[in-house]
Amino acid sequence: MQVKETQNEGLKRGYQMTLPAADLAAMVDQKLKEAQPEVEMKGFRKGKVPMAMLKKQFGPRVLGDAMQDSVDGALRKHLDESGDRPAVQPKVEMQDGENWKEGDDVVVNVTYEVLPAIPEVDLSKLKLERLVVKAEDAAVTEALENLAKNAKSYEDKKKGSKAAKDDQIVIDFKGSVDGELFEGGSAEDYPLVLGSGSFIPGFEDQLTGAKAGDEVEVKVQFPADYGHAALAGKDAVFATTVKAVKKPVDAKLDDELAKRFGAESLDKLKENIAERLEAEYKGASRAVMKRAVLDQLDGQVNFDLPEVLVEAEAAQIAHQLYHEEHPDDHGHHHGEIEPTEEHKKLAERRVRLGLLLAEIGQKADVKVSDQEFTQAVMMQARQYPGQERAFFEFIQQNPQAQQQLRAPIFEDKVIDHIAEQAKVADKTVSKEDLEKAVEALDEL
């Protein structure tokens, strides 16, 4: 195979590879000779089929295989010798295309962009702040009170009391459309919290003010986009009997409440809440510091970027933002979305930092363990209840999906490595200051 350079500009490379027809023919003959002992054909003993017949029967397929093997081998050898690391799979095009015929030299043009040389960064010169927030008593008490509200019970109001918002009423009801009862529209002893929005709009409003023993004819209209097509947009009447009116009673802050949430005592529950809050604060603080790491790295390095990576990232950003702005459009029939200059600028930052983090991680021998990967798969599988097995099989058979799960784990571990090398100063702040810092991340 003869290789001639056709382009060497910036990160772009181009090569013309020529496989002489005689070499290709020799490769075909060699492959046929290797296969000959195992070939069986009617009228001939195994291994005794004449070469001319083998070439007529299998020649075209072997020719294609020989061409592919030759080009692949030449490309691998070239990349090994040159040290080039293509940013994406090289583009290989046959020069003569459909006009090529057996007996001609095979000429292919190979083009790709190489990954750039990544400059060294002195991580020890990075100066970072780690925001530290302690779980104050007020925050623990607030969280504890919220738990008590979620654990609230209901007790009967005084006889003759009217039902108000947040009260629970116990009702029997029968729903009908055009005078006919419909499936799923009836229930007995149903506990309904007024103001919960769990029923059709207008239903709960018409029961506010009702008393135990009242019979109320609730008239509503099903939403036009209601999930049951036969009821969508229809007027309905619910014959409703109010059997009880109950008021909410918050759970007491005591050891019994603690036991309901798996703690042995109220003091232990407070400790658990404080630990959980500080873990949340720590996670938020880490996100703030990660942005600081990326910002400082971005300001310290500058190198050429492969256009193919920037264009792909910009297209992905544009596509993602389109769906964020059009949440009702779940398909991919919206046509091509042209990235803006802002999208391209953000893409350049992401690609630059991605390549830099990959280089730092490789030099530091950062790896994602099997245990970390398995944990990530398990967490992702929870998003598909009832389909976990299918999800596991998909991940096992899809290397790209595996990489998508490994990438954020790898990035976080590299960020941790960078923080270990940098100068990090702890700064105690309030919960409100931390929240403002997190909100600022979305504004950048």
Side-chain angles (χ1 to χ4, degrees):
M1 179 75 79
Q2 301 168 1
V3 180
K4 182 177 70 173
E5 185 177 76
T6 57
Q7 184 179 23
N8 189 334
E9 181 181 353
L11 300 177
K12 294 181 178 180
R13 300 289 184 270
Y15 298 90
Q16 187 179 82
M17 299 181 175
T18 303
L19 174 62
D23 292 353
L24 179 60
M27 289 181 65
V28 171
D29 288 344
Q30 181 62 34
K31 285 180 175 290
L32 289 174
K33 286 179 181 178
E34 291 173 356
Q36 189 176 30
E38 302 300 322
V39 175
E40 294 184 68
M41 189 177 292
K42 188 175 181 180
F44 298 94
R45 286 181 297 162
K46 181 179 179 180
K48 298 300 181 179
V49 180
M51 184 60 65
M53 294 195 68
L54 286 178
K55 188 171 292 188
K56 181 179 180 181
Q57 182 77 12
F58 304 107
R61 188 178 69 187
V62 174
L63 178 64
D65 291 344
M67 291 170 61
Q68 188 67 55
D69 291 348
S70 180
V71 173
D72 290 346
L75 183 55
R76 283 195 300 271
K77 180 180 178 183
H78 164 72
L79 294 177
D80 288 342
E81 293 177 350
S82 67
D84 285 351
R85 295 185 301 162
V88 297
Q89 185 69 23
K91 184 178 181 180
V92 180
E93 294 181 314
M94 192 166 177
Q95 182 164 291
D96 296 327
E98 296 180 357
N99 295 323
W100 181 86
K101 59 183 183 297
E102 189 174 351
D104 291 346
D105 292 345
V106 176
V107 181
V108 294
N109 294 308
V110 179
T111 55
Y112 56 87
E113 286 185 88
V114 296
L115 291 174
I118 310 298
E120 290 278 352
V121 177
D122 188 349
L123 301 179
S124 66
K125 291 184 178 180
L126 298 180
K127 295 182 180 180
L128 304 169
E129 269 188 348
R130 179 165 42 224
L131 303 182
V132 179
V133 179
K134 297 296 183 183
E136 299 177 350
D137 291 343
V140 173
T141 299
E142 180 184 357
L144 193 59
E145 290 174 347
N146 287 334
L147 286 180
K149 289 179 181 178
N150 291 332
K152 63 189 173 187
S153 57
Y154 293 89
E155 63 180 32
D156 287 330
K157 296 177 77 170
K158 289 182 180 180
K159 187 175 181 180
S161 295
K162 294 182 178 181
K165 185 177 181 295
D166 297 327
D167 284 348
Q168 183 192 76
I169 59 174
V170 180
I171 57 176
D172 293 345
F173 59 86
K174 293 182 179 181
S176 59
V177 172
D178 297 330
E180 297 289 333
L181 296 178
F182 59 87
E183 185 179 354
S186 301
E188 294 182 354
D189 296 323
Y190 188 94
L192 172 64
V193 176
L194 298 180
S196 64
S198 54
F199 270 38
I200 303 168
F203 189 101
E204 295 166 26
D205 295 339
Q206 295 176 56
L207 290 171
T208 301
K211 302 184 297 293
D214 285 354
E215 294 187 357
V216 183
E217 192 175 73
V218 179
K219 297 180 179 180
V220 294
Q221 183 181 54
F222 282 98
D225 58 352
Y226 191 67
H228 195 316
L231 299 176
K234 294 291 184 68
D235 291 325
V237 177
F238 287 84
T240 307
T241 301
V242 180
K243 303 175 76 171
V245 176
K246 301 172 180 285
K247 64 181 179 181
V249 179
D250 289 345
K252 294 181 180 179
L253 301 179
D254 56 16
D255 290 346
E256 287 303 314
L257 174 67
K259 290 175 182 178
R260 292 174 65 179
F261 287 96
E264 53 192 52
S265 67
L266 184 60
D267 288 339
K268 189 63 178 178
L269 178 59
K270 289 180 179 179
E271 289 179 17
N272 294 345
I273 291 173
E275 291 174 1
R276 177 178 59 78
L277 288 174
E278 291 191 356
E280 291 176 1
Y281 298 154
K282 188 175 180 180
S285 175
R286 189 184 185 286
V288 173
M289 190 170 74
K290 178 179 178 179
R291 173 59 65 86
V293 169
L294 297 177
D295 287 345
Q296 289 193 39
L297 290 176
D298 192 37
Q300 289 193 22
V301 297
N302 189 28
F303 48 86
D304 290 340
L305 302 174
E307 291 180 9
V308 64
L309 294 184
V310 174
E311 290 172 357
E313 185 66 28
Q316 183 175 343
I317 291 170
H319 189 266
Q320 178 182 344
L321 292 178
Y322 170 85
H323 282 286
E324 289 179 3
E325 295 169 0
H326 303 81
D328 296 331
D329 187 350
H330 302 294
H332 298 277
H333 306 294
H334 42 61
E336 186 175 354
I337 303 171
E338 190 68 27
T340 65
E341 286 303 316
E342 184 178 355
H343 296 152
K344 293 177 182 177
K345 185 176 180 181
L346 179 56
E348 288 174 356
R349 172 185 162 97
R350 288 187 181 180
V351 171
R352 179 165 51 249
L353 289 172
L355 292 174
L356 178 59
L357 291 178
E359 185 75 5
I360 292 173
Q362 184 178 11
K363 289 184 176 179
D365 198 28
V366 173
K367 289 183 171 60
V368 177
S369 69
D370 291 341
Q371 182 178 358
E372 290 167 331
F373 175 71
T374 300
Q375 186 176 4
V377 174
M378 296 294 289
M379 290 182 64
Q380 191 79 5
R382 291 175 188 168
Q383 299 181 22
Y384 306 94
Q387 299 178 304
E388 292 87 352
R389 183 172 181 178
F391 177 78
F392 294 146
E393 292 176 353
F394 169 75
I395 294 296
Q396 289 176 344
Q397 300 168 8
N398 194 320
Q400 185 176 357
Q402 294 175 23
Q403 179 57 29
Q404 288 175 346
L405 286 176
R406 289 180 182 275
I409 305 173
F410 175 82
E411 181 176 290
D412 282 346
K413 296 186 75 170
V414 174
I415 293 293
D416 289 340
H417 166 75
I418 293 172
E420 290 171 1
Q421 310 302 313
K423 293 181 175 66
V424 181
D426 288 344
K427 180 181 179 182
T428 301
V429 299
S430 67
K431 181 182 74 170
E432 291 72 24
D433 287 338
L434 177 60
E435 289 172 348
K436 290 178 181 177
V438 172
E439 289 172 2
L441 298 180
D442 294 331
E443 297 173 1
L444 297 176

